[in-house]
Amino acid sequence: SAVISQKPSRDICQRGTSLTIQCQVDSQVTMMFWYRQQPGQSLTLIATANQGSEATYESGFVIDKFPISRPNLTFSTLTVSNMSPEDSSIYLCSVWTADSYEQYFGPGTRLTVT
Amino acid sequence: AQKVTQAQTEISVVEKEDVTLDCVYETRDTTYYLFWYKQPPSGELVFLIRRNSFDEQNEISGRYSWNFQKSTSSFNFTITASQVVDSAVYFCALNHAGKSTFGDGTTLTVKP
């Protein structure tokens, strides 16, 4: 199994600023992902956080807006840059364990942009 | 491309009624995993079940049961004798190579 923690759990930010969200896993995992859940919506995959290389972004998401770091096999960060109210969402970190084919989600970071 | 359809946006039932949440998926992959999650108002995702594409056995866990039919690309979820605590948003998801595609979710309201 994998236990995921995220920091911060919630934040209220002003338009035009940036926020970095941290994701910490209690074990080494190969695959880490970031998802977004806009209010009243489903979850959408933002990107795959690749260890030691640039993240792989899904259609509609770009590195300038959502830079991601993955310095090791247990940690990743997602930055939401130059925020606007439309970025108000829950951001979730997820891991996939390739040996047991299980998916785990962090508790999420609830972001409100004013 | 993967697609997951949860046709029921909202369902409302009275306590003790049985309710089935539908999930239909599209994929060209032969190996994939299907998940159901519950999201209560607090926002965290609660894992309910995982099924791989090669295992079509139905499963029962307490009041919950799942019916996976590969022939119709469906993975439906039934709650028997619903309770108020079952009120939440339920998501069906399709995972291939670690990446998940989620349905739009079904909001279940169980009234006392």
Side-chain angles (χ1 to χ4, degrees):
Chain A
S1 66
V3 177
I4 304 173
S5 59
Q6 287 185 231
K7 289 181 182 180
S9 58
R10 59 178 62 232
D11 207 341
I12 300 174
C13 300
Q14 290 195 345
R15 180 195 300 260
T17 63
S18 298
L19 176 72
T20 296
I21 302 168
Q22 298 180 7
C23 174
Q24 180 73 55
V25 189
D26 69 342
S27 58
Q28 293 188 341
V29 291
T30 305
M31 306 185 80
M32 293 181 74
F33 305 91
W34 286 97
Y35 289 81
R36 179 178 74 179
Q37 185 177 24
Q38 295 178 297
Q41 305 295 315
S42 183
L43 285 80
T44 301
L45 179 64
I46 298 173
T48 303
N50 300 310
Q51 194 260 330
S53 63
E54 194 171 281
T56 305
Y57 290 85
E58 299 299 308
S59 175
F61 298 96
V62 295
I63 188 171
D64 290 346
K65 178 65 176 178
F66 298 102
I68 289 171
S69 78
R70 175 111 188 257
N72 56 52
L73 293 177
T74 64
F75 186 78
S76 176
T77 67
L78 167 74
T79 298
V80 186
S81 302
N82 188 24
M83 289 184 285
S84 66
E86 292 71 36
D87 295 320
S88 296
S89 299
I90 300 174
Y91 292 87
L92 298 103
C93 175
S94 173
V95 302
W96 175 259
T97 58
D99 52 350
S100 58
Y101 310 108
E102 296 185 50
Q103 178 173 252
Y104 299 92
F105 282 89
T109 296
R110 191 179 294 267
L111 171 62
T112 302
V113 183
T114 60
Chain B
Q2 327 260 17
K3 185 177 180 181
V4 177
T5 301
Q6 295 180 252
Q8 305 145 310
T9 304
E10 296 182 9
I11 300 176
S12 181
V13 299
V14 177
E15 205 169 21
K16 298 185 182 178
E17 286 186 19
D18 298 347
V19 57
T20 295
L21 310 182
D22 298 333
C23 174
V24 175
Y25 63 92
E26 297 176 28
T27 182
R28 294 182 179 178
D29 298 307
T30 55
T31 302
Y32 53 87
Y33 294 83
L34 296 165
F35 292 82
W36 274 96
Y37 291 93
K38 175 181 180 180
Q39 189 175 47
S42 55
E44 79 276 17
L45 278 177
V46 178
F47 166 80
L48 296 177
I49 191 171
R50 178 198 65 183
R51 260 289 172 266
N52 73 54
S53 52
F54 301 107
D55 182 3
E56 288 193 68
Q57 280 191 343
N58 293 329
E59 182 156 337
I60 299 175
S61 176
R63 297 184 296 107
Y64 296 168
S65 62
W66 292 268
N67 179 253
F68 176 27
Q69 292 198 346
K70 207 168 177 179
S71 60
T72 57
S73 297
S74 65
F75 187 42
N76 297 334
F77 172 34
T78 297
I79 302 174
T80 303
S82 60
Q83 300 177 0
V84 173
V85 294
D86 295 326
S87 296
V89 180
Y90 291 84
F91 290 101
C92 179
L94 170 67
N95 187 294
H96 174 69
K99 298 181 180 182
S100 278
T101 300
F102 283 78
D104 289 339
T106 297
T107 300
L108 174 64
T109 302
V110 182
K111 299 178 181 177

Coordinates of all heavy atoms in Angstrom, one line a residue, chain B residues 31-108:
Chain B
T31 N -5.7 -4.5 -21.8 CA -5.4 -4.6 -20.3 C -5.7 -3.2 -19.7 O -5.2 -2.2 -20.1 CB -3.9 -4.9 -20.1 OG1 -3.6 -6.2 -20.7 CG2 -3.7 -5.0 -18.6
Y32 N -6.6 -3.3 -18.7 CA -7.0 -2.1 -18.1 C -7.7 -2.4 -16.7 O -7.9 -3.6 -16.4 CB -8.0 -1.2 -18.9 CG -9.2 -2.0 -19.4 CD1 -10.4 -2.1 -18.6 CD2 -9.2 -2.7 -20.6 CE1 -11.5 -2.8 -19.1 CE2 -10.3 -3.4 -21.1 CZ -11.4 -3.5 -20.3 OH -12.5 -4.2 -20.7
Y33 N -7.9 -1.4 -15.9 CA -8.5 -1.6 -14.6 C -9.6 -0.6 -14.4 O -9.6 0.5 -14.9 CB -7.4 -1.3 -13.5 CG -6.3 -2.4 -13.5 CD1 -5.2 -2.3 -14.4 CD2 -6.4 -3.5 -12.7 CE1 -4.2 -3.2 -14.4 CE2 -5.4 -4.5 -12.7 CZ -4.3 -4.3 -13.6 OH -3.4 -5.3 -13.6
L34 N -10.6 -1.1 -13.8 CA -11.8 -0.3 -13.5 C -11.9 -0.1 -12.0 O -11.7 -1.0 -11.2 CB -13.1 -1.0 -14.0 CG -13.1 -1.2 -15.5 CD1 -14.2 -2.2 -15.9 CD2 -13.4 0.1 -16.2
F35 N -12.3 1.1 -11.6 CA -12.4 1.4 -10.2 C -13.8 2.1 -10.0 O -14.3 2.8 -10.8 CB -11.3 2.5 -9.8 CG -9.9 1.9 -9.8 CD1 -9.2 1.8 -11.0 CD2 -9.3 1.5 -8.6 CE1 -7.9 1.3 -11.0 CE2 -8.0 1.0 -8.6 CZ -7.3 0.9 -9.8
W36 N -14.2 2.0 -8.7 CA -15.3 2.8 -8.2 C -14.8 3.5 -7.0 O -14.1 2.9 -6.1 CB -16.5 2.0 -7.8 CG -17.5 1.7 -9.0 CD1 -17.5 0.6 -9.8 CD2 -18.5 2.6 -9.4 NE1 -18.5 0.8 -10.7 CE2 -19.1 2.0 -10.5 CE3 -18.9 3.9 -9.0 CZ2 -20.2 2.5 -11.2 CZ3 -20.0 4.4 -9.7 CH2 -20.6 3.8 -10.8
Y37 N -15.1 4.8 -6.9 CA -14.7 5.6 -5.7 C -16.0 6.3 -5.2 O -16.9 6.7 -6.0 CB -13.7 6.7 -6.1 CG -12.3 6.2 -6.5 CD1 -12.0 5.9 -7.8 CD2 -11.4 6.0 -5.5 CE1 -10.7 5.4 -8.1 CE2 -10.1 5.5 -5.8 CZ -9.8 5.2 -7.1 OH -8.5 4.8 -7.4
K38 N -15.9 6.6 -3.9 CA -17.0 7.4 -3.3 C -16.3 8.7 -2.8 O -15.2 8.7 -2.3 CB -17.5 6.6 -2.0 CG -18.5 7.4 -1.2 CD -18.9 6.5 0.0 CE -19.9 7.2 0.9 NZ -20.3 6.4 2.1
Q39 N -17.0 9.8 -3.0 CA -16.5 11.1 -2.6 C -17.6 11.7 -1.7 O -18.5 12.3 -2.2 CB -16.1 12.0 -3.7 CG -15.4 13.2 -3.3 CD -14.9 14.1 -4.5 OE1 -15.6 14.3 -5.4 NE2 -13.6 14.5 -4.4
P40 N -17.4 11.6 -0.4 CA -18.4 12.3 0.5 C -18.2 13.8 0.4 O -17.2 14.3 -0.2 CB -18.0 11.7 1.8 CG -16.6 11.3 1.7 CD -16.4 10.9 0.3
P41 N -19.0 14.6 1.1 CA -18.9 16.0 1.1 C -17.6 16.6 1.5 O -17.1 17.6 1.1 CB -20.1 16.5 2.0 CG -21.1 15.4 1.9 CD -20.3 14.1 1.7
S42 N -16.9 15.8 2.4 CA -15.6 16.2 2.9 C -14.5 16.3 1.7 O -13.5 17.0 1.9 CB -15.1 15.3 4.0 OG -15.1 14.0 3.5
G43 N -14.8 15.6 0.7 CA -13.9 15.7 -0.5 C -12.9 14.6 -0.8 O -12.4 14.5 -1.9
E44 N -12.6 13.8 0.2 CA -11.6 12.8 -0.1 C -12.2 11.7 -0.9 O -13.4 11.4 -0.9 CB -11.0 12.2 1.2 CG -11.8 11.2 1.9 CD -12.9 11.8 2.8 OE1 -13.2 13.0 2.7 OE2 -13.4 11.1 3.7
L45 N -11.3 11.0 -1.7 CA -11.8 9.9 -2.5 C -11.6 8.6 -1.7 O -10.5 8.3 -1.2 CB -10.9 9.8 -3.8 CG -11.3 10.7 -5.0 CD1 -10.3 10.5 -6.1 CD2 -12.7 10.4 -5.4
V46 N -12.7 7.9 -1.6 CA -12.7 6.6 -0.9 C -12.7 5.5 -1.9 O -13.7 5.4 -2.7 CB -13.9 6.5 0.1 CG1 -13.9 5.2 0.8 CG2 -13.8 7.7 1.1
F47 N -11.7 4.7 -1.9 CA -11.7 3.5 -2.8 C -12.7 2.5 -2.4 O -12.9 2.1 -1.3 CB -10.2 2.9 -2.7 CG -10.1 1.6 -3.4 CD1 -10.0 1.4 -4.7 CD2 -10.1 0.4 -2.6 CE1 -9.9 0.2 -5.3 CE2 -10.0 -0.8 -3.1 CZ -9.9 -1.0 -4.5
L48 N -13.4 2.0 -3.4 CA -14.4 1.0 -3.2 C -14.0 -0.4 -3.8 O -14.1 -1.4 -3.1 CB -15.8 1.4 -3.7 CG -16.4 2.6 -3.1 CD1 -17.7 3.0 -3.8 CD2 -16.7 2.4 -1.6
I49 N -13.6 -0.4 -5.1 CA -13.3 -1.6 -5.7 C -12.4 -1.4 -6.9 O -12.4 -0.3 -7.5 CB -14.5 -2.4 -6.1 CG1 -14.2 -3.8 -6.5 CG2 -15.3 -1.7 -7.3 CD1 -15.4 -4.7 -6.8
R50 N -11.6 -2.4 -7.2 CA -10.8 -2.4 -8.4 C -11.1 -3.7 -9.1 O -11.2 -4.8 -8.5 CB -9.3 -2.3 -8.1 CG -8.4 -2.4 -9.3 CD -7.0 -2.7 -8.9 NE -6.9 -4.1 -8.3 CZ -5.8 -4.6 -7.8 NH1 -4.7 -3.9 -7.8 NH2 -5.8 -5.8 -7.3
R51 N -11.2 -3.7 -10.5 CA -11.4 -4.9 -11.3 C -10.4 -4.8 -12.5 O -10.3 -3.8 -13.1 CB -12.8 -4.9 -11.8 CG -13.7 -5.8 -11.1 CD -13.4 -7.3 -11.3 NE -14.2 -8.2 -10.5 CZ -13.7 -8.6 -9.3 NH1 -12.6 -8.2 -8.8 NH2 -14.5 -9.4 -8.6
N52 N -9.7 -5.9 -12.8 CA -8.9 -5.9 -14.0 C -9.7 -6.4 -15.2 O -10.7 -7.1 -15.0 CB -7.6 -6.6 -13.8 CG -7.8 -8.1 -13.7 OD1 -8.3 -8.7 -14.7 ND2 -7.2 -8.7 -12.7
S53 N -9.3 -6.1 -16.4 CA -10.0 -6.4 -17.6 C -10.2 -7.9 -17.8 O -11.0 -8.4 -18.6 CB -9.4 -5.8 -18.8 OG -8.0 -6.1 -18.9
F54 N -9.4 -8.7 -17.1 CA -9.5 -10.2 -17.3 C -10.3 -10.9 -16.3 O -10.5 -12.1 -16.4 CB -8.0 -10.8 -17.3 CG -7.2 -10.2 -18.4 CD1 -6.2 -9.3 -18.1 CD2 -7.4 -10.5 -19.7 CE1 -5.4 -8.7 -19.1 CE2 -6.6 -9.9 -20.7 CZ -5.6 -9.0 -20.4
D55 N -10.8 -10.2 -15.4 CA -11.6 -10.8 -14.3 C -13.0 -10.3 -14.3 O -13.3 -9.2 -13.8 CB -10.9 -10.4 -12.9 CG -11.6 -11.1 -11.8 OD1 -12.6 -11.8 -12.0 OD2 -11.2 -10.8 -10.6
E56 N -13.9 -11.1 -14.8 CA -15.3 -10.7 -15.0 C -16.2 -11.2 -13.8 O -17.4 -11.1 -13.9 CB -15.9 -11.1 -16.3 CG -15.3 -10.4 -17.5 CD -16.1 -10.6 -18.7 OE1 -17.3 -10.2 -18.8 OE2 -15.6 -11.2 -19.7
Q57 N -15.5 -11.7 -12.8 CA -16.3 -12.2 -11.7 C -17.0 -11.0 -11.0 O -16.4 -10.0 -10.8 CB -15.4 -12.9 -10.7 CG -15.1 -14.3 -11.0 CD -14.4 -15.0 -9.9 OE1 -13.9 -14.4 -8.9 NE2 -14.3 -16.4 -10.0
N58 N -18.3 -11.2 -10.7 CA -19.0 -10.2 -9.9 C -18.5 -10.3 -8.4 O -17.9 -11.3 -8.0 CB -20.5 -10.5 -10.0 CG -21.0 -10.2 -11.3 OD1 -20.5 -9.4 -12.1 ND2 -22.0 -10.9 -11.7
E59 N -18.6 -9.2 -7.7 CA -18.1 -9.2 -6.4 C -19.2 -8.6 -5.5 O -19.9 -7.7 -5.8 CB -16.9 -8.4 -6.3 CG -16.3 -8.3 -4.9 CD -14.8 -8.1 -4.9 OE1 -14.1 -8.3 -5.9 OE2 -14.3 -7.6 -3.9
I60 N -19.2 -9.1 -4.3 CA -20.1 -8.6 -3.2 C -19.3 -8.3 -2.0 O -18.5 -9.1 -1.6 CB -21.2 -9.6 -2.9 CG1 -22.1 -9.9 -4.1 CG2 -22.1 -9.1 -1.8 CD1 -23.1 -11.0 -3.9
S61 N -19.6 -7.1 -1.4 CA -18.9 -6.7 -0.2 C -19.9 -6.1 0.7 O -20.3 -4.9 0.5 CB -17.7 -5.8 -0.5 OG -17.1 -5.3 0.7
G62 N -20.5 -6.8 1.6 CA -21.5 -6.3 2.4 C -22.7 -5.9 1.6 O -23.3 -6.7 0.9
R63 N -23.1 -4.6 1.7 CA -24.3 -4.2 1.0 C -23.9 -3.8 -0.5 O -24.8 -3.4 -1.2 CB -24.9 -3.0 1.7 CG -25.4 -3.3 3.1 CD -26.1 -2.0 3.7 NE -25.2 -0.9 4.0 CZ -25.1 0.2 3.2 NH1 -26.0 0.3 2.2 NH2 -24.3 1.1 3.5
Y64 N -22.7 -3.8 -0.8 CA -22.2 -3.4 -2.1 C -22.0 -4.6 -3.0 O -21.5 -5.6 -2.6 CB -20.9 -2.6 -2.0 CG -20.9 -1.3 -1.2 CD1 -19.7 -0.7 -0.9 CD2 -22.1 -0.7 -0.9 CE1 -19.7 0.5 -0.2 CE2 -22.1 0.5 -0.2 CZ -20.9 1.1 0.1 OH -20.9 2.3 0.8
S65 N -22.3 -4.4 -4.3 CA -22.0 -5.4 -5.2 C -21.7 -4.8 -6.6 O -22.2 -3.7 -6.9 CB -23.2 -6.5 -5.4 OG -24.3 -5.8 -5.9
W66 N -20.9 -5.5 -7.4 CA -20.5 -4.9 -8.7 C -20.7 -6.0 -9.7 O -20.4 -7.2 -9.5 CB -19.0 -4.5 -8.6 CG -18.8 -3.4 -7.7 CD1 -18.7 -2.1 -8.1 CD2 -18.5 -3.4 -6.3 NE1 -18.5 -1.3 -7.0 CE2 -18.3 -2.1 -5.9 CE3 -18.4 -4.4 -5.4 CZ2 -18.0 -1.7 -4.6 CZ3 -18.1 -4.1 -4.1 CH2 -17.9 -2.7 -3.7
N67 N -21.2 -5.5 -10.9 CA -21.4 -6.4 -12.0 C -20.6 -5.9 -13.2 O -20.8 -4.8 -13.7 CB -22.9 -6.4 -12.4 CG -23.2 -7.3 -13.6 OD1 -23.5 -6.8 -14.7 ND2 -23.1 -8.6 -13.4
F68 N -19.6 -6.7 -13.6 CA -18.7 -6.3 -14.7 C -19.0 -7.2 -15.9 O -19.0 -8.4 -15.8 CB -17.2 -6.6 -14.2 CG -16.2 -6.3 -15.3 CD1 -16.4 -5.4 -16.3 CD2 -15.0 -7.0 -15.3 CE1 -15.5 -5.2 -17.3 CE2 -14.0 -6.8 -16.2 CZ -14.2 -5.9 -17.3
Q69 N -19.4 -6.5 -17.0 CA -19.7 -7.3 -18.2 C -18.9 -6.7 -19.3 O -19.2 -5.6 -19.8 CB -21.2 -7.2 -18.5 CG -22.1 -7.9 -17.5 CD -23.5 -8.1 -18.0 OE1 -23.9 -7.6 -19.0 NE2 -24.2 -9.0 -17.3
K70 N -17.9 -7.4 -19.7 CA -17.0 -7.0 -20.7 C -17.7 -6.9 -22.1 O -17.4 -6.0 -22.9 CB -15.8 -7.9 -20.8 CG -14.5 -7.3 -21.3 CD -13.4 -8.3 -21.1 CE -12.1 -7.7 -21.7 NZ -11.0 -8.6 -21.4
S71 N -18.7 -7.7 -22.3 CA -19.4 -7.8 -23.6 C -20.1 -6.5 -23.9 O -20.3 -6.1 -25.0 CB -20.3 -8.9 -23.7 OG -21.3 -8.8 -22.6
T72 N -20.6 -5.8 -22.8 CA -21.3 -4.6 -22.9 C -20.5 -3.4 -22.4 O -21.0 -2.3 -22.3 CB -22.6 -4.6 -22.2 OG1 -22.4 -4.9 -20.8 CG2 -23.5 -5.7 -22.8
S73 N -19.2 -3.6 -22.0 CA -18.3 -2.6 -21.5 C -19.0 -1.9 -20.3 O -19.0 -0.6 -20.3 CB -17.9 -1.6 -22.6 OG -17.2 -2.3 -23.6
S74 N -19.5 -2.6 -19.4 CA -20.2 -2.0 -18.3 C -19.7 -2.5 -17.0 O -19.2 -3.7 -16.9 CB -21.7 -2.2 -18.4 OG -22.0 -3.6 -18.2
F75 N -19.7 -1.7 -16.0 CA -19.2 -2.0 -14.6 C -20.1 -1.3 -13.7 O -19.8 -0.3 -13.1 CB -17.8 -1.6 -14.5 CG -17.1 -2.0 -13.2 CD1 -17.3 -3.3 -12.7 CD2 -16.3 -1.2 -12.5 CE1 -16.7 -3.7 -11.6 CE2 -15.6 -1.6 -11.3 CZ -15.8 -2.9 -10.9
N76 N -21.3 -1.9 -13.4 CA -22.3 -1.3 -12.6 C -22.2 -1.6 -11.1 O -21.7 -2.7 -10.7 CB -23.7 -1.7 -13.1 CG -23.9 -1.3 -14.5 OD1 -23.4 -0.3 -15.0 ND2 -24.8 -2.0 -15.2
F77 N -22.7 -0.7 -10.3 CA -22.5 -0.8 -8.9 C -23.9 -0.7 -8.2 O -24.6 0.2 -8.5 CB -21.6 0.4 -8.5 CG -21.5 0.6 -7.0 CD1 -21.4 -0.4 -6.1 CD2 -21.3 1.9 -6.5 CE1 -21.3 -0.2 -4.7 CE2 -21.1 2.2 -5.2 CZ -21.1 1.1 -4.3
T78 N -24.1 -1.7 -7.4 CA -25.4 -1.8 -6.7 C -25.2 -1.7 -5.2 O -24.4 -2.3 -4.6 CB -26.2 -3.1 -7.0 OG1 -26.5 -3.1 -8.4 CG2 -27.5 -3.1 -6.2
I79 N -26.0 -0.8 -4.6 CA -26.1 -0.7 -3.1 C -27.4 -1.3 -2.7 O -28.5 -0.8 -3.1 CB -25.9 0.8 -2.6 CG1 -24.6 1.4 -3.1 CG2 -26.0 0.8 -1.1 CD1 -24.5 2.9 -2.8
T80 N -27.3 -2.3 -1.8 CA -28.6 -2.9 -1.3 C -28.9 -2.3 0.0 O -28.1 -2.0 0.8 CB -28.3 -4.4 -1.2 OG1 -27.9 -5.0 -2.4 CG2 -29.6 -5.1 -0.7
A81 N -30.2 -2.1 0.2 CA -30.7 -1.5 1.4 C -29.9 -0.2 1.8 O -29.2 -0.2 2.8 CB -30.6 -2.5 2.6
S82 N -30.1 0.8 0.9 CA -29.3 2.0 1.1 C -29.5 2.7 2.4 O -30.6 2.5 3.1 CB -29.6 2.9 -0.1 OG -31.0 3.3 0.0
Q83 N -28.5 3.4 2.8 CA -28.5 4.1 4.1 C -28.2 5.6 3.8 O -27.5 5.9 2.8 CB -27.5 3.5 5.1 CG -27.8 2.1 5.4 CD -26.7 1.5 6.3 OE1 -25.8 2.1 6.7 NE2 -26.9 0.2 6.7
V84 N -28.6 6.4 4.8 CA -28.3 7.9 4.6 C -26.8 8.1 4.4 O -26.4 9.0 3.7 CB -28.8 8.7 5.8 CG1 -28.4 10.1 5.8 CG2 -30.4 8.5 5.9
V85 N -26.0 7.3 5.1 CA -24.5 7.5 5.0 C -24.0 7.2 3.6 O -22.8 7.5 3.4 CB -23.8 6.6 6.1 CG1 -24.1 7.1 7.5 CG2 -24.1 5.2 5.9
D86 N -24.8 6.6 2.8 CA -24.3 6.3 1.4 C -24.4 7.5 0.5 O -23.9 7.5 -0.6 CB -25.2 5.2 0.8 CG -25.0 3.8 1.5 OD1 -23.9 3.5 2.0 OD2 -26.0 3.1 1.6
S87 N -25.0 8.5 1.0 CA -25.1 9.8 0.2 C -23.8 10.3 0.0 O -23.0 10.6 0.9 CB -26.0 10.8 1.0 OG -27.3 10.4 1.2
A88 N -23.5 10.5 -1.3 CA -22.1 11.0 -1.8 C -22.1 11.0 -3.3 O -23.1 10.7 -3.9 CB -21.0 10.0 -1.3
V89 N -21.0 11.5 -3.8 CA -20.8 11.4 -5.3 C -20.0 10.1 -5.5 O -19.0 9.9 -4.8 CB -20.1 12.6 -5.8 CG1 -19.9 12.5 -7.3 CG2 -20.9 13.9 -5.5
Y90 N -20.4 9.3 -6.5 CA -19.7 8.1 -6.8 C -19.1 8.2 -8.2 O -19.8 8.6 -9.2 CB -20.7 6.9 -6.8 CG -21.1 6.6 -5.4 CD1 -22.2 7.3 -4.8 CD2 -20.4 5.6 -4.6 CE1 -22.5 7.0 -3.5 CE2 -20.8 5.3 -3.3 CZ -21.8 6.0 -2.7 OH -22.2 5.7 -1.4
F91 N -17.8 7.9 -8.3 CA -17.1 8.0 -9.6 C -16.7 6.6 -10.0 O -16.1 5.8 -9.2 CB -15.8 8.8 -9.4 CG -16.1 10.3 -9.3 CD1 -16.0 10.9 -8.0 CD2 -16.4 11.1 -10.4 CE1 -16.3 12.2 -7.8 CE2 -16.7 12.4 -10.2 CZ -16.6 13.0 -8.9
C92 N -16.9 6.3 -11.3 CA -16.3 5.2 -12.0 C -15.1 5.7 -12.7 O -15.1 6.8 -13.3 CB -17.4 4.6 -12.9 SG -16.9 3.1 -13.9
A93 N -14.0 4.9 -12.8 CA -12.8 5.3 -13.4 C -12.2 4.1 -14.2 O -12.3 2.9 -13.7 CB -11.8 5.8 -12.4
L94 N -11.5 4.4 -15.3 CA -10.8 3.4 -16.1 C -9.4 3.8 -16.1 O -9.0 4.9 -16.4 CB -11.4 3.5 -17.6 CG -10.7 2.7 -18.7 CD1 -10.8 1.2 -18.5 CD2 -11.2 3.1 -20.0
N95 N -8.5 2.8 -15.8 CA -7.1 3.1 -15.7 C -6.3 2.2 -16.6 O -6.5 1.0 -16.7 CB -6.6 2.8 -14.2 CG -5.2 3.2 -14.0 OD1 -4.3 2.6 -14.6 ND2 -5.0 4.2 -13.2
H96 N -5.5 2.8 -17.4 CA -4.5 2.1 -18.3 C -3.2 2.7 -18.1 O -3.0 3.9 -18.2 CB -5.0 2.2 -19.7 CG -4.0 1.6 -20.7 ND1 -3.7 0.2 -20.7 CD2 -3.1 2.2 -21.5 CE1 -2.8 0.0 -21.6 NE2 -2.4 1.2 -22.1
A97 N -2.2 1.8 -17.8 CA -0.8 2.3 -17.6 C -0.7 3.4 -16.5 O 0.1 4.3 -16.6 CB -0.2 2.8 -18.9
G98 N -1.5 3.2 -15.5 CA -1.4 4.2 -14.4 C -2.3 5.4 -14.5 O -2.6 6.0 -13.5
K99 N -2.7 5.7 -15.7 CA -3.5 7.0 -15.9 C -5.0 6.6 -15.8 O -5.5 5.7 -16.5 CB -3.2 7.6 -17.2 CG -1.8 8.0 -17.4 CD -1.6 8.6 -18.8 CE -0.2 9.1 -19.0 NZ -0.1 9.8 -20.4
S100 N -5.7 7.4 -15.1 CA -7.2 7.2 -14.9 C -8.0 8.2 -15.7 O -7.7 9.4 -15.7 CB -7.6 7.2 -13.5 OG -7.3 6.0 -12.9
T101 N -9.1 7.7 -16.3 CA -10.1 8.6 -16.9 C -11.3 8.3 -16.0 O -11.8 7.2 -15.8 CB -10.4 8.2 -18.3 OG1 -9.2 8.3 -19.1 CG2 -11.5 9.0 -18.9
F102 N -11.9 9.4 -15.6 CA -13.0 9.4 -14.7 C -14.3 9.7 -15.4 O -14.4 10.5 -16.3 CB -12.9 10.3 -13.5 CG -11.9 9.9 -12.4 CD1 -10.6 10.0 -12.6 CD2 -12.4 9.4 -11.3 CE1 -9.7 9.5 -11.7 CE2 -11.6 8.9 -10.3 CZ -10.2 9.0 -10.5
G103 N -15.4 9.0 -15.0 CA -16.7 9.5 -15.4 C -17.1 10.8 -14.7 O -16.4 11.2 -13.8
D104 N -18.2 11.3 -15.1 CA -18.6 12.6 -14.5 C -19.2 12.5 -13.1 O -19.4 13.5 -12.4 CB -19.7 13.3 -15.4 CG -19.1 13.8 -16.7 OD1 -17.9 14.0 -16.7 OD2 -19.8 14.0 -17.7
G105 N -19.4 11.3 -12.7 CA -19.9 11.1 -11.3 C -21.4 11.0 -11.2 O -22.1 11.6 -12.0
T106 N -21.9 10.3 -10.2 CA -23.3 10.2 -9.9 C -23.5 10.6 -8.5 O -22.9 10.1 -7.6 CB -23.9 8.8 -10.1 OG1 -23.7 8.4 -11.5 CG2 -25.3 8.7 -9.7
T107 N -24.4 11.6 -8.3 CA -24.6 12.1 -7.0 C -25.8 11.3 -6.4 O -26.9 11.4 -7.0 CB -25.0 13.6 -7.0 OG1 -23.9 14.3 -7.5 CG2 -25.3 14.1 -5.5
L108 N -25.5 10.6 -5.4 CA -26.6 9.7 -4.7 C -27.1 10.4 -3.5 O -26.2 10.8 -2.6 CB -26.0 8.4 -4.4 CG -27.0 7.4 -3.6 CD1 -28.2 7.1 -4.4 CD2 -26.3 6.2 -3.2

